[in-house]
Amino acid sequence: MSRKLRIILILALLVNLLAAPMVLAKDTGKKEDEETYTLDELVVIASKHPEKLSEAPVSVEVIDEKDISKKNAQNVADLLRDVSSVNISDHGGPAGQKTISIRGSDSSQVLVLIDGQPINSRQNGQVDLGQLPIDQIKKIEVLKGPASSLYGANALGGVVDITTKSGSEQPITNVETNFGSFKTREMNLTHMGSVGDLRYNISAFKKKTDGHRENSWVDQDKVFIKFNYRLDDYSDLSLSLKYNDSEKGSPGPSNSPSLNAEQNDEDMNVNLQWKRQTENRDQNLNVYYNQHENIYENPDLFEYSNHETEKSGFIFGQTNYYQNNILTYGVDINKNEIDSNENGEHDFLNKSIFIQDEWEFISPLKFNFGGRYDDHEKFGTEFSPRLGAVYTISSNLNFHTSIGEAYRAPTFNELYWPYMDYGSYGIYEGNPDLDPETATAYETGLRYSDEDLKGEINLFKKDVDDLIKFDQGSDGVNRPYNVNSAEITGVELILSKKLTSNYSTDFNYTYLDARNEETDERLDDKPYHTANLGLNYYQNDIEINLDGKLVSGRYKNGNDFPSYFVTDLKLSKELEKNTKVALEMNNLFDRDYQVLDGYPMPGRNVMINLSREF
């Protein structure tokens, strides 16, 4: 028996050993806030309108405020680490960039939304999730698998939709402070309230840390303001303003560190939304503008880059509810611009329309079919269809299946990177003749849920064509080309079990096989096995959460890459009404490991959290 398989079996056995005595323990009775599981949880991400999770034709996972309170999380990347089929590419510590992969996708293939607005950088296609604090997050929905039929480019690998908190009817002021290892200090001040039909939420966030490596310091300031105004009984208007200023060291890989390099990111965002809901129709208009400046400077190598990007657009969607079907349609228009000392000045306009219809031809069988037509100023037109079906076997069990096509447009970096000689690393240059990456994906699965148990098993397969990869030409210059095709297959298992009124456990496991179709070689940084185990205890004003993560079967540059298993612990207690203290211990057993080659992760570290609500 292989070492990898032994680790998986030991982990599964641990779950059973821990569960057995707890299930036999006497139940002391239900609490009013006791967690229960249901397939009737509402999600929006799968169809762009509220629907029961049981009726979604694709796999969706939800992280709500209760889940957020359990985690040792300082940013969105920390929240998403334990989601099945999700891997976070982590450059190590608070200063290291953190990007997301879903079911073997690259980070530029996952679309990230905040309040319905796409925030992926068109410079590199990615989102640094380490730059997104969690203090104002109400809910996160994760759609696993291609979703270009509704969301267009960048949704080839999946979608992450983040919903922020709105104001409150009664005035609430919350003060929260964190301090811990590496001289980390965080302060967050939030005030919510209302004036007549206007609700508001105002928040200021400050973070400073020295980091776990030399030159891995961070100094971040963030301001978040959100207004909600009730226009009438059916409609409301919301306006959110976000400003983020982050300065940090950029230590580079451990084998060639950059001890004086620094990076500064300044981001300003405005989002205006109008929503109207009546008995038979929903309407939503989202108008947004984003401006981002990224500056990198390494005086030791005389390197300097300044990238200014702007993104503006509007999305209009409408959903009509009929007796046997639900029709959703809309338009999405956005413009991306860049002014860079390396990429130059460029701008692209993209116009699209989308439509989706859900029909219940024969109860309990429901079909979901639709598509999106995109017209990109540079890459021309793309049509992305999707067909799905959901069969309700019983009130606790359903079967879902889907097939869809998706694409990813090349980034400004891939198109316009300047001719640059990196010495021993080679000469690199962009390629303005690239075509979009395309994919066809298949998924089928079963969902089960009752009061004490929630389970899901999914099989998935994705064929990706025209993958963009840097190849060396006859002139010795490395340029990106549409040269690769990949086949990604896998299975994911998700279980949540309430053991007693005080104990619960969460477990998920993903097997992933991602290969180059032409050479049959495995793709780098796509682990065979990923497993997450969580044990939770609740008793009156005390909460204990223990989480473990296993990653094994990794491959890098033709060689096996070491596996790792890390454990985090969180203890929280309510000292008195509206006052809470929490102790977080990350990497509890002080493991020495790397998520990405050359970027060591922090050893055991501690964070203490104090919060008070007035």
Side-chain angles (χ1 to χ4, degrees):
M1 182 184 297
S2 71
R3 180 175 178 270
K4 300 171 185 175
L5 183 56
R6 286 200 301 269
I7 294 174
I8 297 296
L9 292 176
I10 291 171
L11 189 59
L13 179 60
L14 176 62
V15 175
N16 287 316
L17 290 174
L18 289 170
M22 296 177 184
V23 172
L24 294 175
K26 182 178 179 180
D27 197 327
T28 58
K30 294 185 178 181
K31 299 185 293 184
E32 290 183 3
D33 60 347
E34 185 179 347
E35 183 175 17
T36 59
Y37 304 112
T38 174
L39 279 176
D40 290 338
E41 182 175 13
L42 291 179
V43 295
V44 177
I45 194 172
S47 301
K48 282 204 172 212
H49 66 79
E51 66 179 340
K52 296 177 181 178
L53 180 60
S54 59
E55 297 176 355
V58 291
S59 178
V60 175
E61 288 196 51
V62 178
I63 302 173
D64 59 23
E65 289 186 82
K66 285 187 177 180
D67 297 321
I68 294 173
S69 69
K70 297 176 186 177
K71 302 295 183 182
N72 292 15
Q74 306 301 315
N75 51 62
V76 172
D78 294 336
L79 288 178
L80 294 172
R81 291 183 197 277
D82 299 335
V83 176
S84 65
S85 293
V86 166
N87 278 291
I88 300 297
S89 296
D90 196 329
H91 287 76
Q97 185 185 40
K98 297 163 178 51
T99 58
I100 184 173
S101 167
I102 299 179
R103 289 180 174 175
S105 66
D106 290 332
S107 55
S108 60
Q109 298 172 342
V110 177
L111 180 65
V112 181
L113 310 170
I114 296 183
D115 292 329
Q117 172 189 337
I119 63 169
N120 292 65
S121 165
R122 288 312 306 147
Q123 181 191 344
N124 57 25
Q126 303 173 349
V127 176
D128 185 356
L129 300 175
Q131 293 281 311
L132 303 179
I134 66 172
D135 55 287
Q136 290 301 319
I137 294 178
K138 179 180 180 182
K139 185 180 183 181
I140 300 179
E141 297 181 15
V142 181
L143 188 158
K144 293 174 284 184
S148 289
S149 62
L150 285 175
Y151 297 99
N154 288 88
L156 186 147
V159 181
V160 176
D161 189 10
I162 301 169
T163 302
T164 60
K165 297 176 182 177
S166 298
S168 60
E169 184 174 349
Q170 300 297 324
I172 299 173
T173 300
N174 185 275
V175 179
E176 183 176 339
T177 181
N178 302 304
F179 55 93
S181 301
F182 320 123
K183 295 183 180 179
T184 301
R185 295 89 72 199
E186 294 182 0
M187 175 68 73
N188 183 60
L189 175 63
T190 301
H191 178 67
M192 301 179 181
S194 63
V195 178
D197 290 328
L198 177 69
R199 295 191 180 189
Y200 58 86
N201 178 5
I202 302 173
S203 171
F205 173 86
K206 174 72 175 180
K207 177 177 182 175
K208 296 190 74 170
T209 180
D210 289 351
H212 72 297
R213 297 176 58 194
E214 187 176 357
N215 196 36
S216 64
W217 56 272
V218 174
D219 189 349
Q220 182 181 18
D221 297 284
K222 184 179 76 73
V223 177
F224 174 80
I225 303 173
K226 188 173 183 179
F227 300 101
N228 298 84
Y229 185 74
R230 182 173 175 268
L231 298 173
D232 53 43
D233 291 340
Y234 304 102
S235 57
D236 63 77
L237 194 66
S238 68
L239 173 67
S240 65
L241 308 170
K242 298 190 257 316
Y243 175 79
N244 181 70
D245 184 16
S246 174
E247 298 181 7
K248 61 183 181 179
S250 183
S254 55
N255 59 351
S256 58
S258 50
L259 301 183
N260 293 296
E262 296 183 8
Q263 179 176 319
N264 175 253
D265 289 275
E266 187 173 10
D267 188 89
M268 189 271 288
N269 192 86
V270 181
N271 185 310
L272 178 67
Q273 289 195 60
W274 170 77
K275 293 183 179 181
R276 180 175 174 83
Q277 293 180 314
T278 60
E279 183 178 355
N280 299 316
R281 184 172 63 182
D282 293 346
Q283 294 172 295
N284 184 14
L285 175 64
N286 189 327
V287 182
Y288 60 86
Y289 172 79
N290 177 265
Q291 183 181 55
H292 184 91
E293 182 177 24
N294 171 270
I295 298 174
Y296 173 82
E297 185 172 10
N298 185 353
D300 296 335
L301 298 178
F302 305 101
E303 292 180 346
Y304 175 83
S305 62
N306 187 333
H307 310 283
E308 296 183 18
T309 58
E310 294 184 27
K311 184 169 187 174
S312 56
F314 74 88
I315 306 169
F316 174 77
Q318 179 164 311
T319 300
N320 296 333
Y321 300 90
Y322 303 105
Q323 183 174 357
N324 295 317
N325 72 301
I326 301 174
L327 180 66
T328 299
Y329 55 91
V331 297
D332 184 346
I333 299 177
N334 61 74
K335 185 176 184 179
N336 287 278
E337 304 173 63
I338 187 170
D339 183 358
S340 165
N341 70 321
E342 294 181 333
N343 298 115
E345 293 185 40
H346 306 278
D347 61 84
F348 294 142
L349 179 67
N350 187 77
K351 299 170 288 185
S352 62
I353 58 174
F354 57 87
I355 186 169
Q356 178 178 272
D357 203 2
E358 300 174 33
W359 275 91
E360 189 172 1
F361 291 105
I362 304 173
S363 181
L365 179 62
K366 179 178 289 188
F367 288 94
N368 180 304
F369 51 91
R372 173 167 165 146
Y373 179 84
D374 282 86
D375 183 8
H376 194 281
E377 187 175 2
K378 178 175 176 60
F379 304 111
T381 60
E382 291 283 345
F383 178 66
S384 307
R386 184 176 73 179
L387 173 65
V390 179
Y391 181 77
T392 303
I393 301 171
S394 70
S395 60
N396 302 108
L397 180 66
N398 71 45
F399 168 82
H400 67 273
T401 187
S402 67
I403 177 174
E405 295 184 0
Y407 77 101
R408 181 188 77 87
T411 66
F412 285 126
N413 278 354
E414 291 167 333
L415 294 168
Y416 304 119
W417 193 256
Y419 182 96
M420 297 186 73
D421 189 343
Y422 293 94
S424 60
Y425 293 98
I427 303 172
Y428 286 81
E429 186 180 29
N431 180 1
D433 297 323
L434 290 171
D435 293 322
E437 299 175 334
T438 60
T440 302
Y442 313 84
E443 177 183 329
T444 187
L446 282 171
R447 300 187 187 99
Y448 175 84
S449 183
D450 61 26
E451 190 178 78
D452 298 326
L453 176 66
K454 179 180 178 180
E456 185 173 340
I457 184 168
N458 298 303
L459 307 175
F460 57 88
K461 180 178 184 293
K462 181 167 62 179
D463 296 312
V464 188
D465 294 318
D466 292 324
L467 271 175
I468 297 173
K469 180 185 177 183
F470 276 87
D471 257 3
Q472 190 175 88
S474 58
D475 58 358
V477 179
N478 293 279
R479 297 183 182 89
Y481 296 97
N482 297 102
V483 295
N484 281 352
S485 296
E487 181 180 80
I488 301 172
T489 57
V491 57
E492 59 191 20
L493 173 66
I494 307 166
L495 293 171
S496 296
K497 172 67 176 175
K498 185 178 64 177
L499 305 173
T500 72
S501 60
N502 302 114
Y503 292 92
S504 67
T505 184
D506 306 291
F507 174 76
N508 65 64
Y509 166 75
T510 303
Y511 172 81
L512 181 76
D513 188 13
R515 295 182 180 273
N516 183 316
E517 281 191 316
E518 297 176 2
T519 64
D520 199 39
E521 292 182 353
R522 291 182 57 201
L523 302 182
D524 287 347
D525 300 316
K526 315 296 182 188
Y528 272 137
H529 311 287
T530 305
N532 297 285
L533 172 65
L535 299 173
N536 313 297
Y537 171 80
Y538 313 87
Q539 177 65 51
N540 297 325
D541 55 358
I542 296 177
E543 185 174 340
I544 303 174
N545 307 105
L546 181 66
D547 295 300
K549 184 177 188 69
L550 168 72
V551 176
S552 71
R554 297 194 291 170
Y555 186 80
K556 183 73 173 181
N557 297 328
N559 300 302
D560 291 332
F561 196 54
S563 305
Y564 65 87
F565 180 81
V566 292
T567 306
D568 299 329
L569 174 67
K570 183 173 182 178
L571 311 172
S572 59
K573 178 178 175 56
E574 188 171 347
L575 300 178
E576 57 183 62
K577 187 177 180 181
N578 300 328
T579 302
K580 193 173 182 179
V581 61
L583 172 65
E584 301 175 1
M585 297 187 67
N586 303 296
N587 194 0
L588 184 62
F589 299 109
D590 200 24
R591 301 299 188 192
D592 183 10
Y593 73 103
Q594 298 179 13
V595 176
L596 294 176
D597 189 19
Y599 293 89
M601 295 294 289
R604 183 189 299 115
N605 59 94
V606 177
M607 183 76 74
I608 297 176
N609 172 279
L610 296 170
S611 61
R612 170 74 175 177
E613 187 176 289
F614 301 92

